[in-house]
Amino acid sequence: MIVAIDGPAGSGKSTVAHAIAKKCGFTYLDTGAMYRCVTLACLRRGVDVADEGAVTDVARSISIEFLPREGGQTVLLDGEDVTADIRTPEVDRAVSPVSAIAEVRSAMVELQREVAKKGDIVAEGRDIGTVVFPAAEVKVFLTADASARAHRRAVQRQGGDAATGNVVATDKASEEAILADIKRRDAYDSTRKEAPLRAAEDAHHIDSSNLGVDEVVAKVMELIDNAR
Ligand code: DC
């Protein structure tokens, strides 16, 4: 079975997808982490992210692996643990233009489909239900208002997880900067030519602004049970 979870940054996709993967014994596929790996490799190699040909060469030459671990996963770029390095503000800023390049997308989509050949998966991203797996048995479009999403990201950066109740103090200035970045990325991701962020026609919409993780997970589990 393929469970597709799409939605904007900070909507809670990762937390929910992880929980579903654990409950169902499915492989968790974080496609955003793949675009982040390409971006990090470009930054490290001094490749201009506006140079489509050079970025495409990087995307085709790197190896990306995911190793499951308790409560999450380790991301390896050419064998090196980059789990933290792909979540820096520098990568946040550069990832949108990288993920807008058609050839980069087709290289990543090919890798994503390879993973699905090996067994049941829950994949999260922007175009999973529309482009990567249009025949997915369960499609969810997860949203939340921008300020709720910015708050979650700010808590995450401080080492907490607003979604699971592990709340830590955040400072207002960094939360505002995150909100501005989220809005900028939303606009870019939804209006780009290649595979823009949009809900599949047959996706189930869930707004997580005022829902806890358990409530969202329960809704998705119900969809999975109905699809079985
Ligand atoms: O989910 P995330 O914030 O880690 O994603 C990082 C970026 O990658 C995001 O700005 C959009 C892009 N992305 C994409 O274009 N397609 C996907 N399937 C997943 C992410």
Side-chain angles (χ1 to χ4, degrees), residues 158-182:
Q158 300 289 322
D161 188 350
T164 57
N166 174 19
V167 178
V168 295
T170 60
D171 81 87
K172 223 175 154 30
S174 67
E175 197 162 318
E176 274 166 17
I178 292 172
L179 177 60
D181 182 63
I182 277 184

Side-chain angles (χ1 to χ4, degrees), residues 66 81 116 131 148 178-179 192-193 208 213 215-216:
F66 297 108
D81 182 351
V131 175
I178 292 172
L179 177 60
R192 70 180 177 212
K193 205 168 115 254
S208 73
V213 166
E215 291 167 290
V216 179

Side-chain angles (χ1 to χ4, degrees), residues 25 47-48 78 96 104 115 129 155 173 192:
V47 167
D48 178 0
D78 291 329
S96 284
V104 170
V115 177
V155 171
R192 70 180 177 212

Side-chain angles (χ1 to χ4, degrees), residues 6-7 9-10 13-14 30-33 35-36 87 92 95-96 99-100 105 112 124-128 132 153 185 189 192 195:
D6 290 302
K13 297 186 302 288
S14 306
D30 178 356
T31 63
Y35 293 100
R36 286 173 180 275
R87 312 250 165 230
D92 278 355
V95 70
S96 284
S99 61
R105 299 203 71 82
Q112 292 155 18
E124 60 143 305
R126 304 293 189 288
D127 60 340
I128 307 301
V132 187
R153 274 284 147 99
R185 272 208 289 151
D189 296 343
R192 70 180 177 212

Side-chain angles (χ1 to χ4, degrees), residues 18 22 66-75 81 83-84:
H18 262 303
K22 196 170 171 189
F66 297 108
L67 303 179
R69 65 170 156 78
E70 189 51 39
Q73 65 176 3
T74 300
V75 183
D81 182 351
T83 314

Side-chain angles (χ1 to χ4, degrees), residues 1-35:
M1 173 181 285
I2 297 176
V3 179
I5 304 187
D6 290 302
S11 56
K13 297 186 302 288
S14 306
T15 314
V16 171
H18 262 303
I20 297 292
K22 196 170 171 189
K23 262 184 192 292
C24 301
F26 291 3
T27 297
Y28 164 64
L29 181 63
D30 178 356
T31 63
M34 299 172 74
Y35 293 100

